[in-house]
Amino acid sequence: MTREITVNHANRELKDMLEAISQEHGFYFAYNSKLVAEDSVIALSGFRGSVATFLDQTFGSEYEFKEAPGYVIIRYAPRSLEVTFTVEHERKGTLVIEGRIRDAANNADIEGASIYEPNVLASTLSDAQGRFRLAIRRRDESVWLRVRKANYRDTTLVLLPAVQVHPERKERRYTFYPGADGKSGLENSRLGRFFSNSKRRIQRINLGGFFAHSPYQVSLAPGLSSQGFFNSQIVNELSLNIIGGYTAGVSGVEIAGAFNINEQHAKHFQAAGIFNLVGHDVQGVQLAGVSNTVINAVSGVQVAGVGNWAGDVRGVQLSGAFNKADNTRGVQVAGALNTSDGDADIQVAGILNVGGKVRGIQIATLLNIADSSDYPIAIVNLIKNGRKSVSAGADESGMLQLTFRSGGRVLYGLIGVGHHLANRPAKYGIEAGIGACLLERNAYLLNVEVASRTTTDLQRVSASNLTLRLLPELRIGQYIAVSAGPALIYSSSDPAPALPKVGNDRPLRPGFYGGLSFRW
């Protein structure tokens, strides 16, 4: 706040002026855009002085300004608090402070003000009559009692001991997260709303983006923690939750028997028997028996027994049932379903993949859906900028077949049904497989396909074969194409007379396929 700055450009919007100062001097201004008129024009030219003086002249007396590492925080605080309190005699090293919070202008009681001691991380809220009671465990040290309420100026009271036996003390580390004084990301999820409450929300609004750091915490359940009510404002290096815990975050290791809930970030390692819920980002490894939910981004690995939810993912999502992300730079592997609303690299699912722009490969047993995907592998691939066609064709055995082909510019899937024109025991056939476009030159394409066909009489007689086809294709206009080419058929059992056999008495015979397609 005391560093010198120079402002030479007049008649600029406030937002542009603050950004220019930030870029020139290597720090950021943090503020609530709803409470600051960003588009107001500032007629200030030739200013040279401290950041504090510049802000006082620009914003006036209804705002207050605080400094945090890398940030200057601008708060709208037109009102002032009046604090009265009494201190009980020390009992077993605990000071009990009781008091009352009022509006300094009209003497009205203030409900929901945060009262806290930043060094021992004890806190409480004032009640409907403005009263509070706070127990602080300290011996012979100064007590810094801070009071904060949205739209009020911060108030700090210092209680000095008669004799300061331990004047040297290690300063506690704090972190500022811009935007943390607004709506929490946890409130976008049902679990977050269920485990949060009005007191936590008031505390978050009052304390804004300031979070303390602590080496460890232990809790039985949310609210029953070694850090008490202040736990949702503390980032821990080690967090042990017997049943579950609710903290600001973890920068180290967090383990829970049932669940972990973090208001902000989780870094390095987090594991829970049932679920993990993180309001912002995860960096590292996140493990859960049932589900992981990260409101913003994941950089690392998510593993869940049932499902993973996240915003942007850079790394791996692995689950027994489903994964969901906004964008994926990495791999999604799920037993049933993967969804990535935007970009995705690799998706592997037991049933279905849904992606936006897929840069790599999609593999599913049944269906792939994407805006663009050149390498989808599934029976059906609904790719927005890909290829789809319905063809009527016949092969050397006399089976007339209707086939649906769908996929990207390179790989595609096919599924078809057919009927033998010849008088055979197994008259009906169903076929599924994959294909690839080897060459595309104007109206000419060269495709290769591998398909598995089962023929049956719908009662007892059945046969199966595997076919490799090389299919030149010629487009006739925009929608019609003709294809025809050789095939190689491998039959495990077939009522047709066997031709040349290769090893293990399994027939391998040449064939042919041709057809007419409608493309779109």
Side-chain angles (χ1 to χ4, degrees):
M1 297 287 283
T2 59
R3 75 175 70 188
E4 295 287 317
I5 63 172
T6 301
V7 179
N8 295 319
H9 303 286
N11 300 321
R12 300 183 67 179
E13 289 189 358
L14 176 60
K15 179 182 178 181
D16 295 336
M17 185 173 288
L18 294 179
E19 288 181 354
I21 294 172
S22 297
Q23 293 175 2
E24 184 175 349
H25 296 280
F27 65 90
Y28 298 94
F29 290 101
Y31 55 87
N32 187 337
S33 59
K34 295 180 180 179
L35 302 177
V36 172
E38 293 183 316
D39 56 352
S40 59
V41 177
I42 306 300
L44 184 64
S45 180
F47 174 85
R48 182 178 180 83
S50 68
V51 175
T53 302
F54 165 76
L55 293 174
D56 284 334
Q57 292 183 12
T58 303
F59 288 89
S61 61
E62 291 191 339
Y63 290 82
E64 70 172 359
F65 318 103
K66 294 186 176 295
E67 195 167 10
Y71 293 92
V72 172
I73 300 127
I74 303 169
R75 289 186 69 238
Y76 179 65
R79 301 177 182 178
S80 299
L81 296 169
E82 180 182 280
V83 183
T84 59
F85 65 93
T86 59
V87 181
E88 294 186 9
H89 293 294
E90 184 176 330
R91 290 182 287 187
K92 296 182 179 180
T94 300
L95 290 176
V96 179
I97 302 174
E98 294 183 343
R100 195 168 188 176
I101 315 295
R102 292 188 175 94
D103 189 300
N106 57 26
N107 211 35
D109 295 328
I110 302 298
E111 180 181 7
S114 293
I115 304 97
Y116 65 102
E117 213 289 346
N119 297 299
V120 298
L121 305 179
S123 69
T124 188
L125 293 176
S126 58
D127 61 18
Q129 288 76 44
R131 301 184 185 278
F132 69 90
R133 187 176 187 273
L134 183 64
I136 299 175
R137 292 181 174 85
R138 302 195 67 176
R139 281 186 176 273
D140 304 319
E141 294 185 31
S142 300
V143 173
W144 294 73
L145 196 67
R146 293 184 178 175
V147 184
R148 178 174 284 192
K149 174 70 176 175
N151 296 337
Y152 284 85
R153 291 183 175 272
D154 287 359
T155 302
T156 302
L157 305 172
V158 183
L159 283 65
L160 299 174
V163 178
Q164 197 162 359
V165 180
H166 304 289
E168 71 287 346
R169 57 183 174 84
K170 185 178 179 180
E171 290 294 330
R172 187 173 293 277
R173 185 164 64 95
Y174 289 85
T175 298
F176 176 74
Y177 294 120
D181 55 344
K183 185 176 180 180
S184 168
L186 294 183
E187 294 176 28
N188 295 325
S189 68
R190 292 181 181 179
L191 284 174
R193 290 191 296 270
F194 178 80
F195 283 99
S196 185
N197 54 45
S198 60
K199 289 186 177 181
R200 290 187 189 276
R201 289 190 285 271
I202 292 171
Q203 179 92 306
R204 185 187 67 251
I205 292 171
N206 289 341
L207 299 186
F210 284 97
F211 293 86
H213 288 258
S214 176
Y216 70 92
Q217 78 90 30
V218 178
S219 70
L220 177 63
L224 300 175
S225 165
S226 60
Q227 295 167 341
F229 182 61
F230 206 77
N231 63 346
S232 62
Q233 295 294 132
I234 301 175
V235 177
N236 302 284
E237 293 179 13
L238 174 63
S239 182
L240 299 176
N241 303 308
I242 307 304
I243 298 175
Y246 190 119
T247 67
V250 61
S251 182
V253 176
E254 185 169 46
I255 299 174
F259 62 87
N260 296 305
I261 300 176
N262 301 117
E263 188 81 37
Q264 293 294 318
H265 307 280
K267 296 182 179 180
H268 305 315
F269 183 82
Q270 186 180 55
I274 299 178
F275 72 86
N276 294 303
L277 175 58
V278 179
H280 283 263
D281 302 332
V282 165
Q283 297 177 18
V285 178
Q286 191 179 48
L287 308 176
V290 177
S291 68
N292 293 305
T293 302
V294 179
I295 303 301
N296 285 352
V298 172
S299 179
V301 179
Q302 276 188 313
V303 181
V306 177
N308 294 305
W309 288 268
D312 292 343
V313 174
R314 289 181 174 268
V316 178
Q317 282 187 313
L318 177 63
S319 72
F322 63 88
N323 296 306
K324 185 181 187 307
D326 294 335
N327 295 283
T328 305
R329 282 279 190 177
V331 181
Q332 287 183 309
V333 180
L337 168 67
N338 289 310
T339 65
S340 184
D341 296 336
D343 294 348
D345 280 347
I346 297 175
Q347 293 182 310
V348 181
I351 299 175
L352 167 67
N353 290 309
V354 179
K357 179 181 179 181
V358 180
R359 292 176 289 265
I361 192 169
Q362 282 184 309
I363 302 176
T365 57
L366 179 62
L367 175 64
N368 289 313
I369 300 174
D371 290 335
S372 65
S373 177
D374 289 344
Y375 303 96
I377 299 176
I379 295 174
V380 178
N381 304 280
L382 303 181
I383 312 302
K384 188 174 181 180
N385 71 341
R387 52 188 282 179
K388 291 177 281 291
S389 68
V390 175
S391 65
D395 63 13
E396 80 294 336
S397 68
M399 175 168 281
L400 184 64
Q401 184 166 295
L402 190 66
T403 305
F404 175 66
R405 291 175 172 85
S406 59
R409 291 181 299 177
V410 179
L411 297 181
Y412 60 91
L414 61 96
I415 184 170
V417 292
H419 184 273
H420 267 298
L421 299 179
N423 186 18
R424 289 195 173 197
K427 293 184 177 181
Y428 308 102
I430 183 168
E431 184 176 81
I434 61 172
C437 179
L438 302 180
L439 180 66
E440 183 173 3
R441 291 290 185 270
N442 298 322
Y444 174 79
L445 289 85
L446 180 61
N447 301 317
V448 61
E449 295 180 351
V450 176
S452 175
R453 176 190 293 170
T454 298
T455 55
T456 179
D457 66 350
L458 303 180
Q459 293 181 2
R460 291 179 297 176
V461 179
S462 64
S464 62
N465 59 51
L466 187 67
T467 303
L468 174 66
R469 304 185 185 114
L470 187 65
L471 293 180
E473 180 178 309
L474 179 64
R475 295 174 182 169
I476 303 173
Q478 183 178 358
Y479 299 108
I480 306 300
V482 177
S483 60
L488 188 63
I489 301 100
Y490 175 82
S491 300
S492 59
S493 60
D494 194 333
L499 291 174
K501 298 182 179 181
V502 179
N504 299 321
D505 294 330
R506 300 281 187 181
L508 186 67
R509 66 179 190 274
F512 178 84
Y513 177 88
L516 182 68
S517 302
F518 176 79
R519 303 167 51 91
W520 71 94

